[in-house]
Amino acid sequence: MEVPQQAKSTTGWKILEEGVLHWERWGQQYALYDSLSGETHLLPEFSARVLQQLSVHPRTAEAIAMALYEGSDENSEREYAEHVSQLLVQLQAAGLTEKIQS
Amino acid sequence: MADRGLLLQTGPFTVRVHSNINGFIRLMQQFYGQFPVVEAPAIADFHVRVTRPGGIRRWWRPQVQFLLDGQSPFQPFQLSHAFPLFEWGLNWSIAMRAHQYLMLHSAAVERGGKVLLLPAWPGCGKSTLCAALVSRGWRLFSDEFGLVRVDDGQLVPLPRPTPLKNKSIDVIREFTADVEIGPAFHGTRKGTVAHLRTPDASVVQAHIAAPPGWLVFPRYRVNAPLQMKPIARPQAFLKLANNSFNYRLLGLQGFRVVTRLVRNCDCYTLSYSDLDEAIDMLNRLVDT
């Protein structure tokens, strides 16, 4: 019997608007100014890398994880994608990202 | 001062001051006598009147009011507090209007061509440390405002009398005999206040801007051992952005000015209780 493949997440993510995020990098931390909201954020490097992925074009959490993951272990890869998903939710709460349904 | 007013140049600002209160005029001569006066006609940045309000209080518990462009932003003070009212009123006027600069709530002093910024909120010993540094030869930019030019990031001097509060008055009196401290005003909203006369050399060089070199967040603690620790630039950035009067108002420009300033400075926190020790430490920091 053929087992149906689990449907992959189709929830995409995007930054609110292009060109509104301004960066300053200090080592592994980033200061980020959002000119849409006027808010300033201090972000660790990983959060900044995730946002930079979205500034290229909207993506799913899995696509971001795939682009950023550097290991070869499949379990770790799944955990990594989960971590990216949680981070995207936190960034949404901070007003930096929003969901898009595809 | 009563008729056409005095056109006073303080740092980058021209202030027209009107008053017919003799005690206030005498203190203006004492504390601003060495400042340049602008020849009329000139465009003033601030039009200030320090006057007695009318009504029955004119005779019973006389008061003084501060007017900016004819409007009174504060409740009147008792008449004898006219000078501190003028000083606070002018600070308020600058903080409300001078948005061509990024304004930090910070003392600023210069040595060797670079500015040491001491950003802090009230109660951290910023003015006391600033007064002590100036008495040891540092050039006074300001005890209250770090005025940062947005186009090139240079600090702009705004030397004015330094208000010492409560115990700081005697601390500075005991620290140095080479300063002139004016009368004590008791019972103000900040307790007892006395003003330190601005050194002539700082007034003469008030047109000379300088780049920032050091960012030191001071904190006076009773009996605390001297401790100066480097802080990471991201943390310094957040502290500085939160310390600014108009960071949010300037938007992206404010972000760019603060990031550039932090990038160009060595950043520290300083905990101190002894002024001599603190000054030695800061001199060594600058001389290395």
Side-chain angles (χ1 to χ4, degrees):
Chain A
M1 190 173 77
E2 198 175 294
V3 179
Q5 266 195 326
Q6 193 177 1
K8 282 203 167 179
S9 164
T10 55
T11 303
W13 292 86
K14 68 182 190 82
I15 53 172
L16 292 186
E17 198 170 304
E18 270 183 50
V20 300
L21 300 182
H22 305 270
W23 305 86
E24 175 78 12
R25 181 181 184 174
W26 286 294
Q28 296 189 328
Q29 281 197 297
Y30 288 73
L32 172 66
Y33 181 75
D34 178 351
S35 56
L36 202 60
S37 68
E39 296 292 333
T40 303
H41 307 266
L42 206 57
L43 299 174
E45 185 172 19
F46 186 66
S47 301
R49 290 176 67 195
V50 168
L51 274 179
Q52 283 162 353
Q53 285 289 314
L54 291 180
S55 65
V56 179
H57 54 71
R59 291 167 187 238
T60 63
E62 288 79 4
I64 294 170
M66 202 175 295
L68 297 180
Y69 185 66
E70 289 167 351
S72 56
D73 183 313
E74 238 176 76
N75 284 334
S76 302
E77 192 176 340
R78 230 184 334 269
E79 283 171 18
Y80 193 83
E82 183 58 31
H83 178 51
V84 171
S85 290
Q86 289 169 4
L87 187 60
L88 285 163
V89 172
Q90 289 169 13
L91 291 170
Q92 182 186 29
L96 292 168
T97 60
E98 66 181 355
K99 283 180 186 175
I100 47 171
Q101 298 295 333
S102 55
Chain B
M1 275 178 81
D3 299 328
R4 294 170 59 196
L6 171 71
L7 268 171
L8 187 68
Q9 188 71 38
T10 169
F13 305 121
T14 304
V15 186
R16 185 186 288 277
V17 191
H18 282 90
S19 184
N20 55 4
I21 300 171
N22 288 336
F24 171 71
I25 293 170
R26 271 197 302 276
L27 287 173
M28 286 296 285
Q29 286 165 345
Q30 180 180 354
F31 286 103
Y32 284 99
Q34 77 278 40
F35 280 65
V37 172
V38 181
E39 294 298 321
I43 296 172
D45 299 286
F46 304 102
H47 292 264
V48 170
R49 284 181 185 273
V50 178
T51 61
R52 295 175 66 174
I56 191 168
R57 276 186 174 276
R58 190 170 180 82
W59 311 110
W60 175 68
R61 296 175 71 178
Q63 293 185 318
V64 57
Q65 62 184 350
F66 175 92
L67 301 175
L68 176 66
D69 297 339
Q71 302 294 312
S72 177
F74 315 114
Q75 293 293 317
F77 279 26
Q78 66 186 67
L79 181 59
S80 59
H81 289 177
F83 188 72
L85 174 63
F86 168 74
E87 286 297 303
W88 285 324
L90 187 53
N91 283 348
W92 180 87
S93 306
I94 292 167
M96 288 295 114
R97 289 198 179 166
H99 301 302
Q100 66 271 41
Y101 299 100
L102 176 86
M103 289 182 278
L104 302 170
H105 193 200
S106 174
V109 287
E110 176 268 338
R111 191 170 133 154
K114 284 192 176 179
V115 175
L116 163 68
L117 282 162
L118 299 164
W121 292 108
C124 290
K126 157 178 68 74
S127 294
T128 315
L129 182 56
C130 174
L133 285 162
V134 170
S135 78
R136 295 285 164 86
W138 291 62
R139 173 159 71 113
L140 175 68
F141 267 49
S142 172
D143 92 294
E144 182 73 9
F145 287 100
L147 286 185
V148 189
R149 257 189 335 224
V150 297
D151 55 346
D152 64 3
Q154 297 253 323
L155 270 295
V156 174
L158 179 58
R160 306 236 315 272
T162 300
L164 300 170
K165 295 166 207 99
N166 304 312
K167 289 178 181 169
S168 295
I169 301 166
D170 285 336
V171 168
I172 293 300
R173 274 209 180 98
E174 286 164 20
F175 184 74
T176 174
D178 298 335
V179 292
E180 181 180 335
I181 298 177
F185 300 95
H186 303 285
T188 77
R189 281 179 297 182
K190 296 191 174 184
T192 300
V193 177
H195 297 82
L196 191 64
R197 194 171 191 268
T198 312
D200 291 355
S202 297
V203 176
V204 168
Q205 297 179 76
H207 60 288
I208 304 173
W214 306 272
L215 200 48
V216 177
F217 296 90
R219 177 132 197 144
Y220 171 81
R221 292 178 202 270
V222 180
N223 297 327
L226 181 71
Q227 209 168 40
M228 190 155 79
K229 293 181 181 169
I231 56 167
R233 286 199 164 82
Q235 277 65 46
F237 164 80
L238 270 195
K239 281 166 85 78
L240 204 58
N242 285 327
N243 163 281
S244 167
F245 290 106
N246 61 345
Y247 170 80
R248 283 187 71 89
L249 193 140
L250 291 182
L252 178 59
Q253 199 174 39
F255 176 77
R256 288 190 170 139
V257 174
V258 175
T259 50
R260 174 156 68 175
L261 197 151
V262 170
R263 209 186 302 136
N264 291 333
C265 284
D266 297 328
C267 307
Y268 300 88
T269 58
L270 171 70
S271 178
Y272 77 97
S273 59
D274 183 289
L275 282 173
D276 276 310
E277 284 182 358
I279 290 173
D280 282 349
M281 177 75 89
L282 292 169
N283 283 341
R284 282 202 303 274
L285 174 74
V286 169
D287 292 341
T288 52

